[in-house]
Each structure stands twice: as C-alpha cells, then as structure tokens.
Amino acid sequence: MTAGSSTALVAGPLSDAARGELDAALARLRAGRGVIVRSADLMGGLFSRFTRLGAARLGLSRAAQGKLGGIAEAALARAYDVAILGLPPNPTAGARSPALARTAVLMSGATCGFAGMAGFIPDATFTTLTIMREIARIASEEGEELATDDARRACLEVFALQSGAGADPESELGYFSARMLMHGRPVMMLLSEVGSRYGINLSRKFAAQAVPFAGAVAGAAINTAFLDHYRNLARAHFVIRRLERAHGAAGVRAASQLR
C-alpha cells in the first residue's frame, strides 16, 4: 500500500466514476502553479518590486529564513486543534462559501501588511489557522475522521505537498513520492519537515510585506493566493485518500500511471 494512505475499506478495481474523480484530482495537481507564481499573476510587476525591496531591506539570510521556518512550525503545531473546533462532522461539500475564508485572509493581509514587518506574525498566524481550517473542512467532506492522528497528519502533509507546473506528467509521481517520504515519521519530525517547506513560502511573503503601505497590497494578494493554493492541494489530496480507502492504495497508484 502506498505510504501515507488509510487502510482500504473495500479493495477492488476503480469504477468509471472513481477513475473520473482520480483524473480530476490529478489534474488539480498538474494545474497548480504555486503560491508565488499565482501571486505574481495577481500583482504583476509590483510583486517582484516589493519582494526585492523587502529582501534588500531585511537581508533575508539563511538564519532569518530558519527563524521564519520556526514561526511556521509553531503556527502549524497549534493550528489543527484550533481549526477543527466547531467543524460539523461530515459537512456537505461546498456548504460553506469559499468567499468567507478568502475575505478573512484578504482583510488580514491588507490590515497587517499596512504595518509592514510589525504585522507579519499576527497575519501569518491567522492565515495559517484559516488555511488549516479549510484543509480540515475539506478532509471531513471527503470522509476523514478529524479526531484521529491519521487525519491530523494528512492535514499537515498538505503544507508540504507541491503541485506540478503546467501539464507536467511527473506531477502525480512527485505527489506520491512526497507522501512516501513523509510516511511513518513521528509527528514532531513531520512538523519540522512541513514547517521548513511552508516557511519557504512564508519567507517570500515576509519579504513582500516588509515595505509598509505597499505591503498591504502584497499581503492581501498573497494571502488569497496561499488559501487558493492549499485548498486546491487539499481537495486533490483527500479525494485520492478517499479513493485509496475504497479501492486500495496500490490500485489507485496503478490507475494514476495508466492515464
């Protein structure tokens, strides 16, 4: 069985409907363009200029990026327990308007970005929590039991997954390989790995928001891009896990390679 998947409930070949769901999930992985590229599209040349100004002003060394990784790890460690509070069991897919979460992170990025560096940690903490809640909601919609350690780990894994660029046929292989590498790691080691990867994105966000006033525009755009990016990955991830529970991880992996 592919590492990181749940135990299969009903092993068997994929039906046409299941193959359609798998194709759609893999298409999400291939179509993902990444947080920074998406932000650049939203902001055009302004984003690159703010990033250069912020990086020059801050001198984002490896040590500084390591500190941001620590901030990311700390935020992620607390986010899951808070994020699942009040989530109804087995919510209906799409019952909650995506616009609510997007508005929340947009306002957080704009408000905290206005303050420049001083607003970064509150904004990063709130945005991480909101993203985690959306990931947990999607997980529950796809049949995950949020009270289990397996679901917690699966939600954390989303922050370490990378979607492919364009129509790269290797994107699904990278997805399954990433899950295999994370499988079986103690939660603290998983948090360290996830925090390190998520921290890279936060460091770029930090550089872009470091310029006061202009950082408000950058913060709002980047936050919505972050949310869309991780929500997209989460939907693909948990659809694939649901198919693995129904048909076996080996069957799903084999079907993904026959496309």
Side-chain angles (χ1 to χ4, degrees), residues 1 9 11-12 15 54 70 89 102 120 128 154-155 190 209-210 216 251:
M1 179 174 293
L9 299 178
S15 65
R102 291 186 95 251
F120 176 77
T128 300
C155 288
L190 180 62
Q209 287 184 234

Side-chain angles (χ1 to χ4, degrees), residues 150-195:
D150 187 48
R152 176 193 293 267
R153 293 175 62 89
C155 288
L156 284 172
E157 285 174 358
V158 173
F159 287 91
L161 297 174
Q162 298 294 328
S163 58
D168 182 4
E170 299 297 319
S171 56
E172 52 259 43
L173 297 179
Y175 164 77
F176 287 112
S177 296
R179 287 180 59 189
M180 185 173 292
L181 288 173
M182 289 184 285
H183 178 61
R185 293 192 180 186
V187 173
M188 293 307 297
M189 287 184 63
L190 180 62
L191 267 173
S192 179
E193 173 71 15
V194 171

Side-chain angles (χ1 to χ4, degrees), residues 3-254:
S5 65
S6 300
T7 302
L9 299 178
V10 183
L14 273 65
S15 65
D16 290 343
R19 284 181 177 274
E21 287 191 288
L22 177 61
D23 288 350
L26 295 175
R28 283 179 179 270
L29 295 175
R30 290 195 309 277
R33 302 180 61 198
V35 175
I36 300 304
V37 174
R38 190 179 304 234
S39 298
D41 283 347
L42 289 171
M43 300 187 62
L46 287 176
F47 181 84
S48 297
R49 183 166 41 156
F50 292 158
T51 300
R52 287 196 299 270
L53 285 171
R57 180 180 175 185
L58 296 170
L60 285 180
S61 63
R62 289 185 178 179
Q65 292 184 15
K67 290 181 180 179
L68 289 170
I71 292 172
E73 185 176 339
L76 289 168
R78 296 188 298 267
Y80 187 79
D81 290 332
V82 176
I84 65 174
L85 291 176
L87 275 179
N90 306 121
T92 303
R96 182 172 181 271
S97 172
L100 295 177
R102 291 186 95 251
T103 300
V105 298
L106 186 151
M107 293 301 296
S108 175
T111 303
C112 295
F114 189 81
M117 291 182 289
F120 176 77
I121 292 180
D123 177 38
T125 301
F126 176 79
T127 300
T128 300
L129 174 60
T130 303
I131 291 171
M132 180 65 88
R133 186 170 179 85
E134 286 296 286
I135 290 172
R137 179 183 60 79
I138 291 169
S140 184
E141 288 175 357
E142 298 297 340
E144 302 281 344
E145 296 290 338
L146 297 182
T148 65
D149 287 340
D150 187 48
R152 176 193 293 267
R153 293 175 62 89
C155 288
L156 284 172
E157 285 174 358
V158 173
F159 287 91
L161 297 174
Q162 298 294 328
S163 58
D168 182 4
E170 299 297 319
S171 56
E172 52 259 43
L173 297 179
Y175 164 77
F176 287 112
S177 296
R179 287 180 59 189
M180 185 173 292
L181 288 173
M182 289 184 285
H183 178 61
R185 293 192 180 186
V187 173
M188 293 307 297
M189 287 184 63
L190 180 62
L191 267 173
S192 179
E193 173 71 15
V194 171
S196 176
R197 297 193 191 188
Y198 184 51
I200 292 172
N201 285 333
L202 284 187
S203 69
R204 292 163 178 158
K205 171 180 164 64
F206 187 38
Q209 287 184 234
V211 182
F213 305 109
V217 180
I222 297 168
N223 280 5
T224 55
F226 264 51
L227 180 65
D228 291 344
H229 175 79
Y230 288 112
R231 191 155 50 189
N232 191 57
L233 284 181
R235 182 63 69 185
H237 182 47
F238 289 111
V239 165
I240 291 172
R241 280 175 58 90
R242 172 167 53 76
L243 293 173
E244 288 173 345
R245 290 193 296 273
H247 302 280
V252 171
R253 177 69 180 271

